[in-house]
Amino acid sequence: MEIEELYKEIILDHYQNPRNYGDLDLSSNFYRGAYPFCTAEGENSLCGDAIYLQFFIEDGKLIDIKFKGEGCALSLASASIMTEMVKGKTLEEIESLINKVKLILEGKEESSDELGDFQALEGVKNLPVRIKCVLLAWTVLEDGIRDYKKKISP
Amino acid sequence: MYNVYRIREDFPILKTTINGKPLIYLDNSATTQKPAVVIDTICEYYKQYNANIHRSVHYLGVKATEIYEKVRGDIAKFINAPNSNCIVFTKGATESINLVAYGWGRKFLKEGDEILITLMEHHSNIVPWQMLSIEKGIKIKFVPLNDDGSLNLTAFKELLTERTKLVSITHVSNVLGIINPIKEIIDTSHKAGAIVLIDGAQSVPSIPIDVQNLDADFLVFSAHKMLGPTGIGILYGKEDLLEEMDPLLGGGDMIKKVTKDYSVWADIPYKFEGGTQNIAGVIGFGKAIEYLNNLGLEHIYKHEKTLVSYTLKRLLNIDGIKIYGPTTENLRLNIISFNYKDIHPHDVATILDREGIAIRAGHQCAQPLHSYLGISASCRASFYLYNTEEEVDKFIEALEKVNMVFKNGNRRTI
């Protein structure tokens, strides 16, 4: 594998111009107290990568999400790609997407067009030591959704 | 005459290729490579005289014991310890520090006592004291650093009080490469009534150390950072301190006598070596010490200094390189930590790896230091006796490749 196959244009673009980066605007009329506001964070203790997510859920759908964090190009690009992919999806759809992402990185499943920009990250499965970086945002969201579910039906 | 090309012949791994490129190993502060003589010595033990030590009267047992104990003596000489009873085998510098924390600290420290460490310590010289502080209510204080990363000695003297019972400090920072003035620190601490533990994990492999001249109370180091196998470390302690310390592991080989009601511990150093030891590891370490002695630590030290000075010069010419710690080589041993533009260290390390170059990337087991520096991670290149200027050149070239992959771009700041 050539290194450029890992650091593809699209990855560098997400890394250098991250989508949905920052904080959700809690003051806007649209969000004011109307929906449960969720946060989730996690880090990769080995390398110090950290991802912080904020999202709103309405009627079982994730209607908006922002991320912040620090880390390598792979972890931040993955987070950026993830926020684009999950926005507007139902929690069930997101959970199955997270599972799919895991299977792809474990080499158990091939990626497909429905994975959009994430396909560019598939190459990391050949670099086991960096899989954790790509997975971080996804597992943080998984935890966040789990916490949300606990909160609404304890 | 120090011939690095001749020396390289002794290290089988240096002939391997990584991703089709010759290996350039610049992660020596994590662990060093092993010369064939060390590997062969370990094989020889298992093939020719494998037996348990201190127990058997048969030929193999006697031979294994003799060699194991000879290594203890060789190590005592290597750091000029007064005798081999001061040398305890552990599984690494980390265990050595834990042995002092629990064998000495748990027994003698009381609530309100203070331990002085520094902001540049490796986690292994922070966490054991934190664990002990939970148990004993002792206080840990950190000596701050100057702007260039060196130890703030004025602050050190102010923090040193009659409550300070132990000063535990690294000789050489595993991130900044800074060589601390340990002689001065030991003298000052002793005057204040504190004993001193020196973490020599990074220094003993390259700097000739004389524990008697330094008057160090404890010195810890690891075999694997100085050509030896993993799983072997040393605790040097002054005899009276070791005598009054409690063992950590009870079991076979650490006793004089066992009855149903009580046991009598063995003399030092054996009371600290309960259970069957890493015999092959000790014997391999003995060979590593012999190898280092043959080369001469003073020559190794000089070689590393030349390499570091050359690397600093080349790195400082690259736009966007930020070096942590002093940029003159006089304060520094064989370690350079840096960041390149705002490219994450893991991305740098992955791209270098494709070029066959091994560096460390991450927090390097020194998170408090990294947060003091205001970063979460850094890249680290560290050298040892077999590295060459040609390897440094390739490393510098590969950094250019990193820049190319990232297309000279910085992250959009948000």
Side-chain angles (χ1 to χ4, degrees), chain B residues 240-306:
Chain B
D240 54 336
L241 286 168
L242 292 177
E243 293 282 5
E244 63 185 20
M245 265 167 69
D246 282 338
L248 209 56
L249 297 174
D253 217 25
M254 54 76 71
I255 41 81
K256 265 183 191 156
K257 174 180 164 180
V258 178
T259 73
K260 277 163 74 184
D261 303 317
Y262 69 94
S263 300
V264 181
W265 298 333
D267 292 332
I268 61 163
Y270 306 105
K271 75 171 177 187
F272 300 110
E273 295 176 6
T276 293
Q277 295 296 293
N278 181 354
I279 303 164
V282 168
I283 291 171
F285 189 24
K287 202 52 155 183
I289 293 281
E290 186 187 311
Y291 188 94
L292 291 173
N293 281 335
N294 287 341
L295 283 183
L297 272 194
E298 62 283 7
H299 297 297
I300 297 168
Y301 178 77
K302 224 174 105 198
H303 177 73
E304 287 175 3
K305 281 279 197 184
T306 313

Side-chain angles (χ1 to χ4, degrees), chain A residues 1-4 6-7 9 12 15-18 21 45-49 69-74 76 127 130, chain B residues 342-344 346-348 350-351 353-354 361-363 367 375-377 401 405-407 409-412 414:
Chain A
M1 183 182 61
E2 284 301 315
I3 197 70
E4 287 78 6
L6 190 65
Y7 293 98
E9 200 90 28
L12 292 175
Y15 169 62
Q16 285 163 348
N17 308 290
Y21 196 93
S45 62
L46 218 72
C47 31
D49 289 352
E70 53 181 310
C72 60
L74 301 180
L76 294 180
L127 214 68
R130 302 297 300 277
Chain B
D342 59 4
I343 306 169
H344 193 277
H346 278 148
D347 296 317
V348 176
T350 293
I351 297 167
D353 179 55
R354 303 311 291 182
H363 55 56
Q367 278 182 324
I375 50 176
S376 63
K401 167 108 186 179
V405 170
F406 275 79
K407 313 210 184 315
N410 276 336
R411 274 186 81 212
R412 197 185 71 186
I414 304 146

Side-chain angles (χ1 to χ4, degrees), chain B residues 224-407:
Chain B
H224 72 92
K225 291 190 200 288
M226 45 194 298
L227 310 182
T230 51
I232 278 294
I234 299 297
L235 169 65
Y236 159 80
K238 281 183 182 164
E239 264 186 293
D240 54 336
L241 286 168
L242 292 177
E243 293 282 5
E244 63 185 20
M245 265 167 69
D246 282 338
L248 209 56
L249 297 174
D253 217 25
M254 54 76 71
I255 41 81
K256 265 183 191 156
K257 174 180 164 180
V258 178
T259 73
K260 277 163 74 184
D261 303 317
Y262 69 94
S263 300
V264 181
W265 298 333
D267 292 332
I268 61 163
Y270 306 105
K271 75 171 177 187
F272 300 110
E273 295 176 6
T276 293
Q277 295 296 293
N278 181 354
I279 303 164
V282 168
I283 291 171
F285 189 24
K287 202 52 155 183
I289 293 281
E290 186 187 311
Y291 188 94
L292 291 173
N293 281 335
N294 287 341
L295 283 183
L297 272 194
E298 62 283 7
H299 297 297
I300 297 168
Y301 178 77
K302 224 174 105 198
H303 177 73
E304 287 175 3
K305 281 279 197 184
T306 313
L307 271 182
V308 152
S309 142
Y310 180 69
T311 313
L312 280 173
K313 208 170 68 200
R314 302 256 359 225
L315 278 175
L316 287 168
N317 278 326
I318 301 177
D319 194 31
I321 290 276
K322 161 92 184 140
I323 291 172
Y324 302 101
T327 46
T328 48
E329 78 275 13
N330 58 332
L331 281 171
R332 222 181 239 282
L333 194 60
N334 51 349
I335 298 165
I336 301 175
S337 292
F338 63 95
N339 267 312
Y340 190 19
K341 298 189 168 171
D342 59 4
I343 306 169
H344 193 277
H346 278 148
D347 296 317
V348 176
T350 293
I351 297 167
L352 293 188
D353 179 55
R354 303 311 291 182
E355 303 296 309
I357 301 169
I359 62 159
R360 176 81 190 265
H363 55 56
Q364 303 173 30
C365 295
Q367 278 182 324
L369 175 58
H370 277 77
S371 48
Y372 167 77
L373 294 170
I375 50 176
S376 63
S378 58
C379 304
R380 178 182 69 186
S382 52
F383 308 98
Y384 204 36
L385 50 89
Y386 37 65
N387 290 119
T388 66
E389 287 192 0
E390 291 81 354
E391 288 182 317
V392 174
D393 292 340
K394 292 222 176 87
F395 161 64
I396 300 289
E397 271 169 41
L399 285 174
E400 185 44 41
K401 167 108 186 179
V402 172
N403 192 33
M404 273 164 54
V405 170
F406 275 79
K407 313 210 184 315

